[in-house]
C-alpha cells in the first residue's frame, strides 16, 4: 500500500512539474508580440534576411512572433500605411509617392545598398546604350516612372524617347515577351538577370545608376508607418535589429541562407535561389558602414528628380521619409 502511495505522489509531482513547465512555456509564447511583414512580390532573395531571421529565431529573440505575408491585391504599401500590417517591403520611389499623397510610410532600412535594376535585352538585339533604344519596342507595366527613367538615360546621349514604342506587358514573363513582342524591358539583375545566366541566354544590361547618379536609389527597403514609430518604437527597433541579423547571416552565408529560403518556399527554383543569393549577398551592404544604412543625399537627389519629372506633385521632405535610428549601432 505504501508503495502505491509513493507512486501516486511521484506521479502527482511529475504532473505538477510538467504543468509548471507548460505554464512557463505558454507564458513565454504569450510574451511574443505578433506582428506581420508584407512582401512586395512573390518571395525571392530580396527577402532572404526575413526568412533567415524567422528560421534562426532572431525575431523570437527580440520578443516577436513575425508572420511573413504575400501582398495580395491591396499591396504592401497600403497595408502598412493603414496599419493592417506593421512592416512591409517597399521601394524608395513608392515611399516618396505615398508620402506626397499623405500616406505616412517611413523607410527604416535599405535592403540592398545600390540599385541593381536596369534595361535588359537579348544580346542579338544589339542594344548596348540608351541611344540604341530608338526604333525599339519596350515592354513595361504602364507606370509613368518607367518612361521618365528611360528619358533621363536617353537625354544623356541626345536620343529621342519619342522613337521608342511602348507596350504594356503587365506580369508577362520576361523571357516569353522578348521572344514574342518586345526588344527590351526593365529587370533586376539579381533575379531575372541571374535566371538568364542559368538559361544560357546572353543579355545586354544597361544599369540605371551607371547613367544618372540620382537613379541610384534604394530598392527595395523595409518600411513601417509613422504611427508605429510614434507609439511603439521598441517594436520597430526589435524588428529591424532581428532583420539586420538575418541579412548579416545572408551576407556571411549565402549558400546556407539560400537553403533556408528554398525550404521556406519550396516552389522556388532552387538553382535560381542559390545563384541569385551568391550574386545578391555582397550587394546587401556593399560599401555602407552597416547593413540598412541610408544616405540623405540619395533620398534628396532622387526625390528632386521625381519632382522635376512630375512624378510627385510636391516636394518631398526626405528627412521624414526615412530613418536610420532603429539600425543596430
Amino acid at each position: 500500500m505504501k508503495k502505491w502511495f509513493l507512486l501516486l505522489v511521484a506521479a502527482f509531482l511529475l504532473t505538477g512539474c510538467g504543468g509548471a513547465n507548460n505554464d512557463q512555456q505558454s507564458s513565454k509564447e504569450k510574451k511574443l508580440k505578433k506582428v506581420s511583414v508584407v512582401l512586395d512580390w512573390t518571395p525571392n532573395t530580396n527577402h532572404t534576411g526575413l526568412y533567415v531571421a524567422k528560421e534562426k529565431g532572431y525575431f523570437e529573440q527580440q520578443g516577436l512572433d513575425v508572420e511573413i505575408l504575400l501582398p495580395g491585391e491591396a499591396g504592401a504599401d497600403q497595408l502598412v500605411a493603414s496599419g493592417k500590417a506593421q512592416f512591409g517591403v517597399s521601394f524608395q520611389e513608392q515611399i516618396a509617392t505615398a508620402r506626397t499623397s499623405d500616406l505616412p510610410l517611413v523607410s527604416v532600412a535599405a535592403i540592398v545598398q545600390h540599385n541593381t535594376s536596369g534595361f535588359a535585352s537579348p544580346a542579338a538585339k544589339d542594344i548596348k546604350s540608351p541611344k540604341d533604344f530608338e526604333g525599339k519596342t519596350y515592354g513595361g507595366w504602364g507606370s509613368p516612372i518607367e518612361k521618365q527613367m528611360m528619358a533621363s538615360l536617353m537625354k544623356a546621349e541626345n536620343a529621342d524617347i519619342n522613337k521608342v514604342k511602348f507596350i504594356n506587358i503587365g506580369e508577362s514573363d520576361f523571357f516569353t515577351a522578348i521572344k514574342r513582342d518586345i526588344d527590351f524591358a526593365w529587370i533586376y539583375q539579381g533575379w531575372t538577370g541571374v535566371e538568364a545566366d542559368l538559361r544560357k541566354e546572353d543579355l545586354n544590361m544597361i544599369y540605371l545608376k551607371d547613367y544618372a547618379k540620382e537613379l541610384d536609389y534604394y530598392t527595395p527597403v523595409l518600411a513601417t508607418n509613422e504611427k508605429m514609430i510614434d507609439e511603439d518604437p521598441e517594436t520597430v527597433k526589435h524588428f529591424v535589429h532581428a532583420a539586420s541579423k538575418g541579412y548579416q547571416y545572408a551576407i556571411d552565408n549565402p549558400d546556407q541562407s539560400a537553403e533556408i529560403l528554398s525550404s521556406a518556399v519550396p516552389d522556388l527554383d532552387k538553382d535560381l535561389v542559390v545563384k541569385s543569393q551568391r550574386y545578391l549577398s555582397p550587394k546587401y551592404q556593399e560599401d555602407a558602414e552597416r547593413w540598412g544604412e541610408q544616405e540623405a543625399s540619395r533620398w534628396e537627389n532622387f526625390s528632386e528628380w521625381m519632382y522635376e519629372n512630375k512624378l510627385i506633385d510636391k516636394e518631398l521632405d526626405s528627412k521624414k521619409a526615412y530613418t536610420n535610428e532603429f539600425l543596430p549601432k
Side-chain angles (χ1 to χ4, degrees), residues 182-212:
I182 65 171
D183 297 309
F184 68 113
W186 187 3
I187 70 166
Y188 281 85
Q189 175 62 26
W191 193 255
T192 308
V194 168
E195 185 177 359
D197 290 342
L198 285 172
R199 290 168 172 255
K200 301 189 184 307
E201 297 196 23
D202 191 12
L203 297 183
N204 286 332
M205 188 74 173
I206 296 172
Y207 292 98
L208 296 172
K209 66 182 179 63
D210 290 347
Y211 287 85

Side-chain angles (χ1 to χ4, degrees), residues 280-299:
L280 202 57
S281 281
K283 306 289 186 185
Y284 289 138
Q285 182 175 340
E286 206 154 351
D287 54 359
E289 291 185 4
R290 55 184 171 170
W291 175 85
E293 190 82 23
Q294 300 173 85
E295 294 180 358
S297 60
R298 286 168 64 190
W299 271 91

Side-chain angles (χ1 to χ4, degrees), residues 151-171:
S152 290
L153 269 59
M154 295 182 74
K155 184 178 180 181
E157 296 198 343
N158 297 314
D160 185 358
I161 194 169
N162 293 315
K163 293 180 180 179
V164 179
K165 182 179 179 181
F166 285 80
I167 291 180
N168 188 342
I169 61 173
E171 297 181 12

Side-chain angles (χ1 to χ4, degrees), residues 283-324:
K283 306 289 186 185
Y284 289 138
Q285 182 175 340
E286 206 154 351
D287 54 359
E289 291 185 4
R290 55 184 171 170
W291 175 85
E293 190 82 23
Q294 300 173 85
E295 294 180 358
S297 60
R298 286 168 64 190
W299 271 91
E300 290 163 2
N301 290 341
F302 185 59
S303 64
E304 286 173 9
W305 177 87
M306 290 186 73
Y307 181 66
E308 289 169 2
N309 286 279
K310 298 181 172 52
L311 294 168
I312 51 178
D313 56 13
K314 57 185 176 183
E315 292 184 339
L316 175 72
D317 184 350
S318 60
K319 291 180 181 179
K320 293 182 178 179
Y322 82 98
T323 179
N324 291 318

